[in-house]
Amino acid sequence: MNDLRNSKPLYVAKAELFKSLGHPARIRILELLVAGEMSVSNLLAATGLEPSSLSQHLNVVKHTGLVQSSRAGNIVTYRVTDPSVGEFLAAARSVLATTLGRARQTLEDLVGPA
Amino acid sequence: MNDLRNSKPLYVAKAELFKSLGHPARIRILELLVAGEMSVSNLLAATGLEPSSLSQHLNVVKHTGLVQSSRAGNIVTYRVTDPSVGEFLAAARSVLATTLGRARQTLEDLVGPA
DNA sequence: CCATGAATTCATAGATTACTTAAATCACCC
DNA sequence: GGGTGATTTAAGTAATCTATGAATTCATGG
């Protein structure tokens, strides 16, 4: 059900956590879910993924405990398990912001401003 | 030099960022560097990795802009490019904490406390 | 200039991951 | 019970990633 359980060195669990977000489709899925729970069919429409592909990606993030699902009749709804997931994504955004800014800066240092 | 530059959808860049930390060795390396800059030979000793392997992993995190390096004579020193990298790692730790706690809780809900 | 230590690059075999298509489940309604 | 829409599972192939050992670069000191 959840693969980040004990009996694993912490840095392995942490690596699996990062890896589970190491795919564009899963990033898009998580950003949607951070904004609010969503059914598979809505995710399907929002992402444009193949149903089987979406399901597989959802399974990956479910295994690392980032999301949960529940079924109501025919419809399966996914949601993030904890607000910390949103903060995790936000932290990535912040790294990216300074990292991209720094790349631009370094470039200007080397070749001068545009 | 840096692969998270523009001309790439944001979610792709973000996925690459996560992926670059999606390996136990790179997690260990980054946690060491977050605590302070380090030479390659010190990283070698601290991690026990093969030199070529360490170098390749360092290259991965350098490409995503998480770390920088500088050479002083024979010795190359790596450091994180920005404090936000440390916060990123911390955010992961926090997700892991609630995620593992929740897994334990869910288990207890199902089978009763140990 | 050659030897040496430090670090990186290269090449390849082996393992993991992702995409695609088809088949299977599952819950519901007639 | 059969049909239908929603979702998941399976299986195969293609693509990507990792580890390893040999070769290479780079800077220094003799």
Side-chain angles (χ1 to χ4, degrees), chain B residues 13-100:
Chain B
K14 209 178 283 190
E16 287 175 6
L17 178 62
F18 278 103
K19 186 157 52 172
S20 78
L21 281 173
H23 190 289
R26 295 197 289 270
I27 292 289
R28 284 197 288 164
I29 291 169
L30 261 289
E31 302 220 304
L32 287 166
L33 293 183
V34 160
E37 62 173 34
M38 253 187 167
S39 68
V40 171
S41 33
N42 282 345
L43 283 169
L44 220 43
T47 62
L49 293 169
E50 292 284 324
S52 69
S53 182
L54 172 61
S55 189
Q56 283 168 156
H57 284 302
L58 283 170
N59 200 36
V60 171
V61 284
K62 192 178 183 180
H63 265 76
T64 54
L66 289 170
V67 308
Q68 291 179 318
S69 68
S70 61
R71 174 181 285 255
N74 234 349
I75 292 178
V76 176
T77 298
Y78 282 81
R79 65 192 64 79
V80 296
T81 54
D82 194 88
S84 62
V85 175
E87 293 160 20
F88 189 31
L89 270 287
R93 215 168 297 131
S94 158
V95 169
L96 219 47
T98 69
T99 252
L100 293 176

Side-chain angles (χ1 to χ4, degrees), chain A residues 1-2 4-6 10-15 17-19 21-25 27-28 31 64-66 68 81-85 87-89 91-96 98-100 102-104 106-107 110, chain B residues 1-2 4-6 10-15 17-19 21-25 27-28 31 64-66 68 81-85 87-89 91-96 98-100 102-104 106-107 110:
Chain A
M1 205 165 283
N2 184 310
L4 253 44
R5 264 189 291 251
N6 299 335
L10 210 61
Y11 54 85
V12 172
K14 209 178 282 189
L17 178 62
F18 279 102
K19 187 156 51 171
L21 281 173
H23 191 288
I27 293 288
R28 284 196 289 164
E31 303 219 305
T64 55
L66 289 170
Q68 291 178 319
T81 54
D82 194 89
S84 63
V85 175
E87 293 161 19
F88 190 30
L89 270 285
R93 216 167 296 132
S94 158
V95 169
L96 219 48
T98 70
T99 252
L100 293 176
R102 191 177 299 275
R104 192 181 319 115
T106 303
L107 211 60
L110 290 175
Chain B
M1 205 164 283
N2 185 310
L4 252 44
R5 262 188 293 249
N6 298 335
L10 210 61
Y11 55 84
V12 172
K14 209 178 283 190
L17 178 62
F18 278 103
K19 186 157 52 172
L21 281 173
H23 190 289
I27 292 289
R28 284 197 288 164
E31 302 220 304
T64 54
L66 289 170
Q68 291 179 318
T81 54
D82 194 88
S84 62
V85 175
E87 293 160 20
F88 189 31
L89 270 287
R93 215 168 297 131
S94 158
V95 169
L96 219 47
T98 69
T99 252
L100 293 176
R102 190 178 301 275
R104 190 182 321 113
T106 304
L107 211 60
L110 290 175

Side-chain angles (χ1 to χ4, degrees), chain A residues 35-52:
Chain A
E37 62 173 35
M38 252 188 167
S39 68
V40 171
S41 35
N42 282 347
L43 283 169
L44 219 44
T47 63
L49 293 169
E50 292 284 325
S52 69

Side-chain angles (χ1 to χ4, degrees), chain A residues 48-114:
Chain A
L49 293 169
E50 292 284 325
S52 69
S53 181
L54 172 61
S55 188
Q56 284 166 157
H57 284 302
L58 283 170
N59 199 37
V60 171
V61 285
K62 191 178 185 181
H63 264 74
T64 55
L66 289 170
V67 308
Q68 291 178 319
S69 68
S70 61
R71 166 168 234 137
N74 234 351
I75 293 179
V76 176
T77 298
Y78 282 81
R79 66 191 63 80
V80 298
T81 54
D82 194 89
S84 63
V85 175
E87 293 161 19
F88 190 30
L89 270 285
R93 216 167 296 132
S94 158
V95 169
L96 219 48
T98 70
T99 252
L100 293 176
R102 191 177 299 275
R104 192 181 319 115
Q105 185 58 51
T106 303
L107 211 60
E108 283 175 12
D109 290 349
L110 290 175
V111 306

